[in-house]
Amino acid sequence: MTITPDAPTATVQLPTQSVYQNRVADYWNAEENPVNLDLGRIDDLYHHHYGVGDADWSVLDEPDPGLRKDRLTAELHRLEHAQAELLAARLGGLTPDDRVFDAGCGRGGGSVTANLRYGCGADGVTISAKQAGFANEQARKRGIDDKVRYHHRNMLDTGLETGAYAASWNNESTMYVELDLLFAEHARLLRRGGRYVVITGCYNDTYGQASREVSLINAHYICDIHPRSAYFRALTANRLVPVHVEDLTATAIPYWELRSQAEHLVTGIEETFLSAYRNGSFQYLLIAADRV
């Protein structure tokens, strides 16, 4: 960690990070996107990822404009939470005595989901000070801040306790970092036999190089989407052995189709995702791996 002057009489801790990561942090510190905030306000579960599963298309037939907007928002949130539950279900047989690590935690919805499911403790890490503060306030409001904590740190160098975690994950955050550095940190934090899970978009190596659509997604989110094969190379190189792989691409398409109809939530990237999924150049994967 580095200490940077903030005022003549005060200092503030900042994660050690690159110029690129500083730009990513600036992006998320400034972000106030309705597709993240409006959905989270429904039940105070704020997810920074996409959804999976069959959509309830009847929301589009709602004749009342205000009610249609509310139903669309609620249905998209339901699909996003289904994705969070899918990840949480792969974390293994956790108990309330276990601790889990949420890398790139955003506004904290994934850690809360794991705590509600297992009663476990959780540490979330984000390079956005704004997100960490927001997430900690949500934990306080829920009365779980004794077990669920969020930290303004770099997920590549967390400073958290070695071997202290029964499970860890990344949910759509791996495209912001180098995979070998990331998985080395997960391997350090996990106890032997601990479970790591990632849900991520990746470009399909069999298609060739990253497609035009993937390049547009990179530019939109200031990220660098990795090829599918890179995940398996980096996992195994860092003592994380894949035990379950699931292609979620087909189950992700309904979320994007529905979101493209939500005029109050669209960001302009919806059709790019749909085109990339449909032409096969982009995939949505879940990978679970055990620490050996």
Side-chain angles (χ1 to χ4, degrees):
M1 304 288 285
T2 59
I3 306 297
T4 301
D6 185 42
T9 59
T11 60
V12 61
Q13 281 197 326
L14 296 175
T16 301
Q17 55 199 35
S18 67
V19 171
Y20 164 72
Q21 288 175 319
N22 284 326
R23 289 176 177 170
V24 172
D26 289 343
Y27 173 89
W28 288 111
N29 283 330
E31 184 268 339
E32 293 284 342
N33 199 313
V35 80
N36 292 320
L37 294 173
D38 288 1
L39 275 63
R41 290 189 185 105
I42 292 173
D43 56 5
D44 286 332
L45 277 170
Y46 290 83
H47 298 302
H48 279 275
H49 54 73
Y50 312 127
V52 295
D54 295 328
D56 178 4
W57 300 107
S58 71
V59 300
L60 299 177
D61 300 325
E62 175 57 53
D64 180 87
L67 187 55
R68 182 181 187 273
K69 177 180 175 181
D70 291 344
R71 289 186 62 190
L72 258 171
T73 303
E75 180 62 4
L76 288 169
H77 183 63
R78 185 188 69 81
L79 293 171
E80 287 192 353
H81 189 65
Q83 192 261 36
E85 290 285 4
L86 179 66
L87 188 154
R90 286 290 174 184
L91 294 176
L94 300 174
T95 73
D97 294 327
D98 287 322
R99 294 170 66 192
V100 298
F101 170 57
D102 182 357
C105 62
R107 288 185 171 95
S111 294
V112 175
T113 300
N115 171 265
L116 292 174
R117 187 183 188 95
Y118 300 107
C120 58
D123 286 289
V125 164
T126 171
I127 58 173
S128 166
K130 183 178 179 180
Q131 288 183 341
F134 183 96
N136 277 317
E137 180 60 25
Q138 292 300 309
R140 283 190 289 271
K141 287 180 178 179
R142 287 181 174 272
I144 58 173
D145 52 312
D146 60 327
K147 299 201 74 169
V148 178
R149 300 175 295 271
Y150 301 95
H151 312 273
H152 178 215
R153 302 186 188 184
N154 188 334
M155 64 179 165
L156 302 181
D157 183 18
T158 65
L160 298 173
E161 183 182 356
T162 298
Y165 296 89
S168 65
W169 69 89
N170 285 89
N171 198 345
E172 294 182 20
S173 55
T174 53
M175 62 285 298
Y176 291 103
V177 294
E178 296 177 52
L179 293 181
D180 274 304
L181 297 177
L182 174 66
F183 295 155
E185 182 68 350
H186 279 285
R188 184 186 71 80
L189 294 172
L190 285 169
R191 67 193 186 198
R192 184 181 291 274
R195 171 65 54 83
Y196 171 72
V197 180
V198 57
I199 293 182
T200 188
C202 54
Y203 76 78
N204 184 354
D205 302 62
T206 63
Y207 184 95
Q209 295 298 310
S211 66
R212 176 179 178 274
E213 291 87 354
V214 171
S215 297
L216 289 172
I217 295 169
N218 280 337
H220 185 87
Y221 289 109
I222 322 175
C223 65
D224 187 13
I225 293 166
H226 302 291
R228 180 179 61 188
S229 62
Y231 283 88
F232 299 96
R233 284 197 300 268
L235 285 167
T236 54
N238 288 283
R239 304 181 67 177
L240 296 168
V241 179
V243 294
H244 177 81
V245 180
E246 191 170 350
D247 186 347
L248 302 175
T249 307
T251 66
I253 288 176
Y255 166 86
W256 287 100
E257 290 177 331
L258 191 64
R259 180 166 143 178
S260 69
Q261 300 298 312
E263 295 178 0
H264 61 298
L265 298 175
V266 294
T267 64
I269 200 65
E270 288 77 15
E271 291 303 322
T272 302
F273 269 87
L274 286 168
S275 177
Y277 283 146
R278 289 168 177 160
N279 69 27
S281 67
F282 190 56
Q283 291 179 294
Y284 198 50
L285 289 189
L286 180 153
I287 306 170
D290 285 346
R291 162 65 161 85
V292 298

